[in-house]
Amino acid sequence: MSSRAERTSGRNPAASAVGGGQDLQDLLSSFQGRSSGEPSPAADPVNQAMIRHFVEAMGDENPVYLDEEAARACGLPGVIAPPAMLQAWIMRGYRASLELERARAAGESAGSPTDELMALLDEAGFTSVVATNCEQDYLRPLFLGDHLSVRSSIESVSGLKQTALGAGHFLTTRMDFTDARGEAVATMHFRILKFRPRQSPRSAVGAMRPRPAITEDSAFFFEGTREGRLLVQSCGSCGKLRHPPAPACPECRSLDWDAVEVSPRGRVLSFVVVHHPQVPAFDYPLVVALVELHEGLRIVADMAGVEPADVAIGMEVEAGFEMIDQEIALPRFRPVGR
Amino acid sequence: MSAQRRHSYAGRTALSGIGATEFSKKSGRSELRLAVEAVAAALDDAGIDAGDVDGLVTFSADTNPEIEIARSLGLGELTFFSRIHYGGGAACATVQQAAMAVASGVAEVVVCYRAFNERSGNRFGAGVQGLPPLPNAESAQFAWYAPYGLLTPASWVAMFAQRYMHLTGTTSEDFGRVAVADRRHASTNPAAWFYGKPITLQDHQASRFIVEPLRLLDCCQETDGGQALVVTSLERARDLRHPPAVIRAAAQGSGADQHMMTSYYRDDLTELPEMSVVARQLWETSGIGPDDVQCAVLYDHFTPFVLYQLEELGFCARGEARDFVRDGAIEIGGRLPLNPHGGQLGEGYLHGMNGIAEAVRQVRGSAVNQIPALEHVVVTAGTGVPTSGLVLGTDR
């Protein structure tokens, strides 16, 4: 987290340094629209053996998938493949998957853009995956002997979403299936959630932390932390930044304000080491710091990644964001570089 | 910044009765009963009939409604009742409310009270860990601290103390000198919990950390008990049982960018501007200054803020309180005897109200650790919060 780059953002010069949550999001968004290039052919043409395995496994007794006569009786020119079997024709198979893993481990090609994207999310801690949706459109039946090719493209990558499984990004891939003549036969939209597995309740940031009381004046802050962004109020009239939140600007009394992102980096202005009393949600001794952000605002949060004896006033720190329960994420400081 | 030069009730009102329960760790009685006992004791001390009471003032933090006390003691009709917010910051302000009511003719006899089972019941030292996260500003102010483990008064004060030490060179031993003085004074006060139990600086340094840099012996006690104070006109007080403790000044103060114990957003953390607001009014209204005070009863929930207060009240320059406490100035016989009853570290934690009672005894000349030739005593209320203060003097 400490190696995040910073970038310059829009309207408020004082709030120009932007945290890593936004950088990752930008990187993810850059994958949108990227495709695998030329359609790649399936290993095998549509064939009876694979169909038989599929319908037996699925318990599908419709005779049009196996019996030529039954198919003709339905007005079909011959046996067709079960439509839902579409993806099976282009799956790369076990060996190809192993080869891809090996290549990735050796630092060679990361494969298709989808493979690259998956690797990127793995590195960012979104190591788990679950398929959430699959939509298929069939343009014509597939017959024995049809040889399909597929071209995949990344249709969308969502922002960070909180789900019952954990925080993650939804990826939607579009696959265009064509036949040997290059004619479209089907399309598929496949959506997965790549997520950070939820930590156990007794972990360092447990479920029993006191919950913040949230009002209409402060809700934006916690919406920001859920997206890994540190948001503060910026006066809509004079632009002065403020934290903790308040309904009006103490400089010009304007009730107008925007939530702007500020860098989660700053210096320790003061700190304490809590020993007693001990609350189950925290690990003690617990370091809590008052940090002066680079924008000049101050914020309190606990610290990780440092021994209490090594904390010092003036220390450079940077906040990451961690979920404390299913809804609330909070900043947590670490020394820069650790 | 627009405080009057002189408050009109000052010099015309007095504390004419004080009363308390024992200070314990487990009272075994309801908080309401503690309040009733304390109010009754204060009226007895003053020599005023319960039926003469027409006003009651307490803290908004208190759980004992005025009407319950009135019903219990048969006080009859009340024409004035008021509560002050911000925890221990309310203490001296209850007396100010009473004095204003008396001076303005709204009431004639007003009793200020505070009672709780703060050790055996709801312990303040446990902090706000159980506070429900209600969607209002009172609750939401803790959202910036509690979820990160900054849950207790000790932790909120420790954040100031660390910065103060860093900038002024003050040490843990300097904080310890406050505790040592308090405990020495408590050791000769039979009403004190730590009666007969003085400590040394070595004891302080050997005590465990609660929230670094604060040690156990930097933190005040948790106490069960009740304390009440009777306020009347000075004229009426002169006809009562004890010499009046004249209210020479009473003041409330909230500083710019004030927070509840967590005013971490001001230029630096080495000042208590709210106490400066109080001090300015106290000196302007009483017409005296720090040199005219023979005793200070300073709110001592945590030792560091006693040093801050010495600076805010003008007893020493900024950043020099550590030198002030090093030469024995706060001991009895020193330049400014501090908390002769033992303070909240030594006698008991009654949210500052027992300190006001001690100031009354000092003015009467009846304290167990009496300061000789005393004319004026300054009293302060809770620190780190919007607060209040008093200057009490003899009727001369």
Side-chain angles (χ1 to χ4, degrees):
Chain A
M1 299 288 254
S2 56
S3 63
R4 290 171 187 161
E6 294 189 342
R7 75 181 179 91
T8 303
S9 80
R11 54 180 292 283
N12 197 321
S16 59
V18 172
Q22 188 58 45
D23 290 331
L24 177 64
Q25 186 57 48
D26 289 349
L27 197 52
L28 295 177
S29 299
S30 72
F31 278 86
Q32 285 179 176
R34 286 182 63 185
S35 85
S36 58
E38 286 302 301
S40 49
D44 299 294
V46 174
N47 63 81
Q48 192 68 72
M50 281 174 69
I51 292 173
R52 188 187 316 284
H53 297 156
F54 183 88
V55 297
E56 285 184 3
M58 299 297 290
D60 190 335
E61 293 176 1
N62 189 333
V64 299
Y65 304 137
L66 295 173
D67 184 340
E68 187 82 12
E69 277 184 33
R72 289 215 174 97
C74 293
L76 293 165
V79 163
I80 63 168
M85 199 179 162
L86 178 66
Q87 200 181 358
W89 300 117
I90 52 85
M91 282 183 167
R92 63 185 163 213
Y94 182 58
R95 181 174 298 168
S97 296
L98 289 183
E99 280 170 8
L100 182 68
E101 270 181 33
R102 187 199 55 74
R104 203 190 278 175
E108 296 163 18
S109 164
S112 70
T114 306
D115 294 326
E116 267 182 63
L117 180 54
M118 296 292 271
L120 179 68
L121 286 164
D122 281 341
E123 283 165 24
F126 303 99
T127 51
S128 296
V129 65
V130 62
T132 60
N133 305 69
C134 183
E135 294 164 27
Q136 297 180 337
D137 288 302
Y138 314 116
L139 305 179
R140 72 160 173 85
L142 301 182
F143 301 99
L144 296 179
D146 268 328
H147 201 141
L148 303 190
S149 288
V150 69
R151 180 176 179 277
S152 68
S153 56
I154 296 165
E155 195 160 77
S156 68
V157 185
S158 79
L160 187 64
K161 301 289 184 186
Q162 299 304 321
T163 76
L165 292 172
H169 295 269
F170 287 94
L171 317 183
T172 308
T173 306
R174 176 192 168 107
M175 293 180 173
D176 288 286
F177 295 82
T178 48
D179 61 18
R181 294 192 303 274
E183 307 256 336
V185 296
T187 59
M188 178 170 94
H189 290 85
F190 194 69
R191 185 172 301 132
I192 62 165
L193 172 68
K194 270 293 271 181
F195 65 99
R196 187 183 289 137
R198 189 174 290 292
Q199 298 186 336
S200 70
R202 254 323 260 125
S203 65
V205 181
M208 298 164 73
R209 280 196 183 205
R211 268 189 133 230
I214 298 173
T215 73
E216 290 86 343
D217 300 325
S218 64
F220 75 93
F221 179 88
F222 299 97
E223 287 162 14
T225 55
R226 272 197 292 274
E227 296 169 0
R229 305 197 300 153
L230 188 58
L231 300 182
V232 301
Q233 285 174 306
S234 166
C235 175
S237 177
C238 73
K240 184 180 169 67
L241 301 180
R242 62 181 190 263
H243 180 84
C249 175
E251 292 293 312
C252 72
R253 299 182 193 162
S254 170
L255 290 166
D256 296 327
W257 55 271
D258 302 307
V260 298
E261 184 170 4
V262 294
S263 165
R265 289 179 73 147
R267 278 196 185 82
V268 173
L269 191 87
S270 191
F271 68 96
V272 303
V273 184
V274 184
H275 295 267
H276 301 284
Q278 301 198 343
V279 174
F282 300 99
D283 289 327
Y284 294 91
L286 171 70
V287 179
V288 186
L290 170 64
V291 171
E292 188 154 272
L293 300 172
H294 287 169
E295 279 79 10
L297 296 174
R298 297 178 189 172
I299 186 169
V300 169
D302 53 313
M303 284 191 70
V306 63
E307 290 299 315
D310 295 335
V311 182
I313 287 175
M315 176 180 258
E316 283 270 352
V317 294
E318 176 174 29
F321 297 86
E322 299 179 27
M323 300 297 295
I324 62 162
D325 58 26
Q326 299 205 356
E327 292 169 4
I328 304 291
L330 295 176
R332 198 177 198 203
F333 286 106
R334 289 173 186 275
V336 167
R338 262 180 267 181
Chain B
M1 299 300 281
S2 58
Q4 279 179 255
R5 290 284 171 218
R6 194 163 192 293
H7 301 165
S8 63
Y9 54 82
R12 297 167 49 211
T13 49
L15 280 152
S16 47
I18 55 175
T21 65
E22 81 289 0
F23 303 141
S24 75
K25 300 300 179 192
K26 187 169 174 56
S27 74
R29 317 198 282 293
S30 73
E31 294 185 329
L32 178 58
R33 173 154 171 184
L34 296 176
V36 165
E37 287 182 23
V39 170
L43 290 171
D44 285 348
D45 180 67
I48 291 178
D49 288 340
D52 287 355
V53 175
D54 50 8
L56 290 172
V57 185
T58 187
F59 297 43
S60 55
D62 200 88
T63 63
N64 307 296
E66 301 90 324
I67 54 175
E68 291 295 332
I69 288 164
R71 193 164 64 84
S72 288
L73 291 173
L75 300 188
E77 296 178 347
L78 299 177
T79 58
F80 179 68
F81 26 93
S82 179
R83 291 189 176 215
I84 310 291
H85 206 41
Y86 305 117
C92 297
T94 64
V95 174
Q96 185 193 38
Q97 285 281 300
M100 290 193 291
V102 168
S104 63
V106 169
E108 288 188 16
V109 176
V110 181
V111 184
C112 309
Y113 65 92
R114 177 78 174 112
F116 50 30
N117 285 321
E118 195 274 320
R119 177 59 181 80
S120 66
N122 177 31
R123 299 178 65 173
F124 295 177
V128 295
Q129 55 180 285
L131 206 69
L134 302 175
N136 59 54
E138 188 92 356
S139 193
Q141 64 189 336
F142 296 110
W144 314 109
Y145 317 102
Y148 307 99
L150 210 62
L151 288 161
T152 61
S155 69
W156 301 326
V157 172
M159 193 70 87
F160 282 90
Q162 184 85 264
R163 184 75 185 167
Y164 183 83
M165 294 167 84
H166 177 74
L167 291 180
T168 66
T170 300
T171 65
S172 172
E173 288 196 352
D174 296 326
F175 296 152
R177 289 184 174 89
V178 172
V180 170
D182 267 351
R183 290 290 293 270
R184 181 172 302 157
H185 301 162
S187 72
T188 54
N189 171 12
W193 177 257
F194 285 122
Y195 176 54
K197 293 180 180 168
I199 59 167
T200 64
L201 202 51
Q202 291 69 35
D203 293 332
H204 173 271
Q205 288 296 294
S207 68
R208 64 191 164 109
F209 280 122
I210 298 301
V211 181
E212 290 180 58
L214 299 189
R215 300 174 181 280
L216 176 65
L217 292 177
D218 288 308
C219 306
C220 75
Q221 304 176 56
E222 294 177 296
T223 302
D224 286 9
Q227 176 76 59
L229 312 160
V230 180
V231 175
T232 62
S233 68
L234 175 58
E235 199 181 336
R236 181 163 186 161
R238 284 173 174 150
D239 297 331
L240 296 173
R241 197 167 278 168
H242 297 284
V246 182
I247 298 171
R248 295 293 177 195
Q252 277 190 295
S254 171
D257 202 7
Q258 180 78 55
H259 294 249
M260 187 69 182
M261 301 290 293
T262 53
S263 299
Y264 298 155
Y265 311 93
R266 294 160 169 169
D267 284 348
D268 222 319
L269 308 187
T270 55
E271 300 180 7
L272 291 174
E274 54 277 11
M275 193 58 81
S276 173
V277 174
V278 169
R280 190 177 65 235
Q281 297 174 81
L282 292 182
W283 302 139
E284 282 180 3
T285 291
S286 65
I288 66 167
D291 290 342
D292 305 312
V293 168
Q294 293 80 39
C295 173
V297 178
L298 303 186
Y299 200 89
D300 55 346
H301 54 358
F302 300 100
T303 57
F305 278 166
V306 173
L307 301 195
Y308 281 62
Q309 290 182 82
L310 289 169
E311 296 171 13
E312 295 295 349
L313 290 162
F315 291 109
C316 59
R318 295 229 178 263
E320 293 181 7
R322 61 178 182 141
D323 302 316
F324 190 88
V325 300
R326 270 176 193 167
D327 65 4
I330 57 174
E331 308 277 341
I332 290 173
R335 150 78 192 85
L336 184 73
L338 173 77
N339 301 343
H341 60 314
Q344 301 189 104
L345 285 105
E347 185 183 62
Y349 175 75
L350 263 292
H351 239 168
M353 295 294 267
N354 52 324
I356 300 172
E358 170 65 9
V360 171
R361 288 188 294 265
Q362 289 290 341
V363 170
R364 289 178 178 178
S366 64
V368 290
N369 296 318
Q370 182 63 43
I371 309 303
L374 183 139
E375 288 181 26
H376 296 104
V377 53
V378 65
V379 191
T380 59
T383 41
V385 295
T387 188
S388 53
L390 293 170
V391 172
L392 302 184
T394 53
D395 186 19
R396 285 195 290 269

